[in-house]
């Protein structure tokens, strides 16, 4: 499998990346870990005459855990996420999810920025970012701007990022309460048949707030506000969970593919969300 | 064809310099250009791990890296881990515990396992299975691979203790 030929660039800073993107327009693509892009180029499903490798670009690394929020540089790898004790403390769901992405080799290379910028509905981080109500920082010819993760995804591989912008960081308020990332896959290393990200805050015996997002069940990640609302004020008993699942099923739009027919996807989505809510509640 | 690039790589401690198209996949550089044929091509689609090498301290599927990305990098393949004259404890353990049958997956398996044991010198069976999840084997059923890695870990830990 030999990809089409390309010119290769390895700029040292963000303005250098943006200048190349402006010069080559549609014909240029940035590469982070390359573990979504290279397979697509080998299959010749992505045509990239100008490839901009960002491995040497300064200022897109590092995990900052502050008093109220977390900021993760786009070039941070999944392996670095998993190894960060600070992050495991501040947002343990991220580690739980990252451990369910691909396999060790892929996690050494795959980055948070690549995972969220890619726009593949199968990627796991975009759903988590919906759950967190995260903000993405983009850097382009006019400098920096931010976009809420919940407004970033337009359709499969279509996002609010302009062609000449680089996603430099993801930020989110430190998540509160119990958490769970549940993922159903055909085998270890596979993308999700269905996955659910849940954060629940408990107050006394009842649910004070809940945030629920689903992965690979629509052409974008799905933040199901209604599913979260169905839990608020309840004791998260069977009835409340069934109501949350019903609300979630209204918000997703799975399609038939090699992971199964629509009825199966809906079934699995319900099972996975039920498990995620129960586990998050038990940790709340 | 695009412009050729001047590439410098350190492979198994030896510096290599050559001109290559940036799109060349590292596995082809190793196998066909440098004649280092330990790393195998199984799937060529980033799934099987037969092409695993260590690049700057990370286990990487070399079918999923362009040679241009690896420019300046330090690469270790199975050839740099041990050979017939002096087997690495992992190689010895795979031989002893039937960690291989056809041997196709073995270079990738052992190369990955060196890194796993470096990060976690005392892995449980579950940790071994999880840490080796990027390497597929169609022969052994994995049981003896797990055993081999456990045995190598014990040998390596004993040697470390003896040295202290
Ligand atoms: C065998 C295998 C299994 C996998 N399983 C999973 C899985 O279960 N779950 C999952 O989520 N992922 C999975 N992946 C994908 C993997 O996590 C990718 O690494 C990740 O999706 C992309 O990250 P990357 O850094 O490799 O991005 P790249 O491949 O470098 O880039 C992906 C896309 O994003 C763009 N891009 C990258 N970085 C930026 C940036 N900073 N700003 C703007 N655009 C950018 C690129 O131009 C490209 O279009 C799997 C991959 C493989 C090979
Ligand atoms: S040949 Fe590279 S992962 Fe299979
Ligand atoms: S020994 Fe044959 S594939 Fe593993």
């Amino acid at each position: 499998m030999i990809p089409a030929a390309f010119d290769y660039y390895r700029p040292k800073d963000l303005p250098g990346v943006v200048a190349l993107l402006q010069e080559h327009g549609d014909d240029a693509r940035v590469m982070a870990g390359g573990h979504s892009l290279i397979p697509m180029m080998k299959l010749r499903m992505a045509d990239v005459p100008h490839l901009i490798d960002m491995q040497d670009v300064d200022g897109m690394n590092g995990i900052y855990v502050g008093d109220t929020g977390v900021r993760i540089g786009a070039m941070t790898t999944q392996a670095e996420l998993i190894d960060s004790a600070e992050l495991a403390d501040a947002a343990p769901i991220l580690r739980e999810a990252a451990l369910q992405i691909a396999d060790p080799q892929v996690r050494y290379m795959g980055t948070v920025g690549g995972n969220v910028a890619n726009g593949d509905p199968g990627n796991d981080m975009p759903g988590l970012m919906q759950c967190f109500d995260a903000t993405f920082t983009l850097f382009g010819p006019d400098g920096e701007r931010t976009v809420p993760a919940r407004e970033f995804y337009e359709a499969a591989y279509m996002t609010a990022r302009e062609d000449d912008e680089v996603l430099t960081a993801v930020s989110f308020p430190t998540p509160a309460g119990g958490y769970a990332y549940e993922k159903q896959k055909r085998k270890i290393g596979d993308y999700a048949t269905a996955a659910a990200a849940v954060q629940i805050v408990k107050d006394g015996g009842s649910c004070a707030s809940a945030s629920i997002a689903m992965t690979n069940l629509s052409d974008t990640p799905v933040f199901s506000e209604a599913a979260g609302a169905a839990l608020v004020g309840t004791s998260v008993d069977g009835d409340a969970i069934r109501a949350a699942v019903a609300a979630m099923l209204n918000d997703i739009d799975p399609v038939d593919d090699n992971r199964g027919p629509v009825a199966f996807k809906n079934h699995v989505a319900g099972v996975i969300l039920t498990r995620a809510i129960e586990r998050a509640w038990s940790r709340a | 064809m695009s412009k050729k690039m001047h590439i410098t790589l350190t492979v198994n401690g030896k510096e290599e310099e050559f001109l290559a198209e940036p799109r060349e996949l590292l596995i082809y550089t190793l196998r066909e250009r440098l004649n280092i044929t330990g790393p195998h091509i199984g799937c060529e689609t980033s799934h099987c791990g037969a092409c695993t090498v260590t690049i700057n301290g990370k286990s990487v599927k070399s079918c999923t890296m362009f040679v241009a990305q690896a420019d300046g990098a330090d690469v270790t393949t199975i050839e740099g881990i041990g050979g017939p004259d002096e087997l690495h404890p992992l190689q010895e353990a795979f031989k002893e515990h039937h960690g291989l049958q056809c041997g196709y997956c073995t270079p990738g398996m052992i190369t990955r396992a060196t890194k796993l044991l470096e990060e976690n010198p005392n892995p449980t069976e579950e940790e071994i299975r999880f840490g080796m999840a990027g390497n597929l084997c169609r022969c052994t059923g994995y049981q003896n691979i797990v055993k081999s890695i456990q045995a190598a870990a014990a040998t390596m830990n004993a040697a470390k203790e003896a040295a202290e």
Side-chain angles (χ1 to χ4, degrees), chain A residues 153-202:
Chain A
Y153 298 95
E154 295 165 351
Y157 299 102
M158 304 282 287
T159 68
R161 186 181 67 83
E162 299 295 335
D163 283 345
D164 55 6
E165 286 181 316
V166 180
L167 191 150
T168 54
V170 305
S171 317
F172 49 87
T174 310
Y179 66 91
Y181 194 78
E182 276 285 340
K183 176 173 171 180
Q184 170 65 43
K185 48 193 189 232
R186 295 170 302 182
K187 59 176 261 299
I188 196 162
D190 191 22
Y191 290 93
T193 302
V198 176
Q199 289 278 160
I200 300 188
V201 179
K202 193 184 210 168

Side-chain angles (χ1 to χ4, degrees), chain A residues 115-116 119-120 123-131 136 149 153 213 215 221:
Chain A
N115 203 290
V116 301
D120 181 338
N123 281 136
D124 288 286
M125 289 287 156
L128 265 182
M129 297 300 142
Q130 308 300 303
C131 176
F136 298 159
Y153 298 95
T215 290

Side-chain angles (χ1 to χ4, degrees), chain B residues 22-40:
Chain B
R23 66 170 161 172
E24 186 170 300
L25 295 166
L26 185 63
I27 185 70
Y28 288 109
T29 309
L30 294 170
R31 291 182 56 83
E32 288 176 16
R33 187 181 282 281
L34 304 175
N35 216 14
I36 295 172
T37 53
H40 291 161

Side-chain angles (χ1 to χ4, degrees), chain A residues 3 9 14 63 70 74 80 86 100 140 160 162 178 183 185 280:
Chain A
Y9 309 86
L14 273 169
I63 299 170
V70 175
E80 286 165 345
E86 243 188 332
Q100 297 180 62
E162 299 295 335
K183 176 173 171 180
K185 48 193 189 232

Side-chain angles (χ1 to χ4, degrees), chain A residues 29-39 54 60 74 78 100-103 106 109-111 113-115 117-118 122-125 161 165-168 183 189-192, chain B residues 45-47 61:
Chain A
R29 271 286 194 114
V30 295
M31 176 171 67
H35 272 53
S36 286
L37 187 57
I38 295 174
M54 300 197 293
M60 287 205 285
Q78 311 287 359
Q100 297 180 62
I101 292 179
D103 59 47
V106 176
M109 294 301 293
T111 65
N115 203 290
N118 195 25
N123 281 136
D124 288 286
M125 289 287 156
R161 186 181 67 83
E165 286 181 316
V166 180
L167 191 150
T168 54
K183 176 173 171 180
D190 191 22
Y191 290 93
Chain B
T45 55
S46 325
H47 288 98
K61 294 172 179 170

Side-chain angles (χ1 to χ4, degrees), chain B residues 15-152:
Chain B
E15 194 168 286
E16 307 278 1
E17 277 191 62
F18 50 88
L19 290 175
E21 275 193 82
R23 66 170 161 172
E24 186 170 300
L25 295 166
L26 185 63
I27 185 70
Y28 288 109
T29 309
L30 294 170
R31 291 182 56 83
E32 288 176 16
R33 187 181 282 281
L34 304 175
N35 216 14
I36 295 172
T37 53
H40 291 161
I41 300 174
C43 65
E44 225 185 331
T45 55
S46 325
H47 288 98
C48 74
C51 63
T52 300
V53 300
T54 308
I55 301 180
N56 296 338
K58 300 171 172 183
S59 304
V60 175
K61 294 172 179 170
S62 60
C63 73
T64 314
M65 179 174 271
F66 294 125
V67 69
Q69 276 175 286
D71 185 25
D74 192 61
V75 182
T76 305
T77 70
I78 188 71
E79 286 88 345
I81 289 168
D85 297 338
E86 196 177 356
L87 292 179
H88 184 277
L90 272 161
Q91 292 171 317
E92 191 65 51
F94 269 65
K95 180 176 145 215
E96 211 48 45
H97 297 270
H98 302 282
L100 65 147
Q101 288 177 23
C102 79
Y104 202 84
C105 68
T106 315
M109 282 286 173
I110 291 182
T111 306
R112 167 61 196 147
T114 57
K115 189 66 204 159
L116 171 72
L117 291 184
E118 197 183 300
E119 288 177 358
N120 181 359
N122 270 309
T124 62
E125 169 173 351
E126 205 188 325
E127 285 166 344
I128 292 173
R129 289 184 183 272
F130 194 74
M132 297 300 294
N135 295 75
L136 303 183
C137 174
R138 297 285 90 143
C139 299
T140 62
Y142 301 100
Q143 193 55 39
N144 288 345
I145 291 177
V146 174
K147 258 195 228 164
S148 303
I149 295 174
Q150 282 171 324

Side-chain angles (χ1 to χ4, degrees), chain A residues 5-194:
Chain A
F6 53 80
D7 286 335
Y8 175 85
Y9 309 86
R10 210 196 269 191
K12 296 251 184 293
D13 54 23
L14 273 169
V17 176
V18 171
L20 285 163
L21 285 171
Q22 282 189 287
E23 185 184 341
H24 299 292
D26 258 7
D27 281 348
R29 271 286 194 114
V30 295
M31 176 171 67
H35 272 53
S36 286
L37 187 57
I38 295 174
M40 298 279 279
M41 290 172 71
K42 284 165 70 179
L43 294 167
R44 304 223 174 182
M45 285 160 64
D47 179 31
V48 184
H50 298 275
L51 184 69
I52 309 168
D53 184 349
M54 300 197 293
Q55 67 170 296
D56 287 346
V57 174
D58 263 349
M60 287 205 285
N61 292 299
I63 299 170
Y64 304 94
V65 178
D67 290 341
T68 57
V70 175
R71 181 184 167 97
I72 303 173
M75 292 295 282
T76 306
T77 63
Q78 311 287 359
E80 286 165 345
L81 279 190
I82 291 166
D83 287 345
S84 166
E86 243 188 332
L87 198 60
D89 205 40
I93 191 174
L94 259 180
R95 184 169 192 275
E96 184 162 292
L99 283 167
Q100 297 180 62
I101 292 179
D103 59 47
Q105 282 93 321
V106 176
R107 293 193 294 262
Y108 282 117
M109 294 301 293
T111 65
V112 174
N115 203 290
V116 301
N118 195 25
D120 181 338
N123 281 136
D124 288 286
M125 289 287 156
L128 265 182
M129 297 300 142
Q130 308 300 303
C131 176
F132 288 164
D133 198 6
T135 303
F136 298 159
T137 305
L138 301 170
F139 181 86
D142 303 325
E144 222 171 67
R145 68 174 178 122
T146 57
V147 179
R150 291 179 187 170
E151 289 165 24
F152 188 73
Y153 298 95
E154 295 165 351
Y157 299 102
M158 304 282 287
T159 68
R161 186 181 67 83
E162 299 295 335
D163 283 345
D164 55 6
E165 286 181 316
V166 180
L167 191 150
T168 54
V170 305
S171 317
F172 49 87
T174 310
Y179 66 91
Y181 194 78
E182 276 285 340
K183 176 173 171 180
Q184 170 65 43
K185 48 193 189 232
R186 295 170 302 182
K187 59 176 261 299
I188 196 162
D190 191 22
Y191 290 93
T193 302

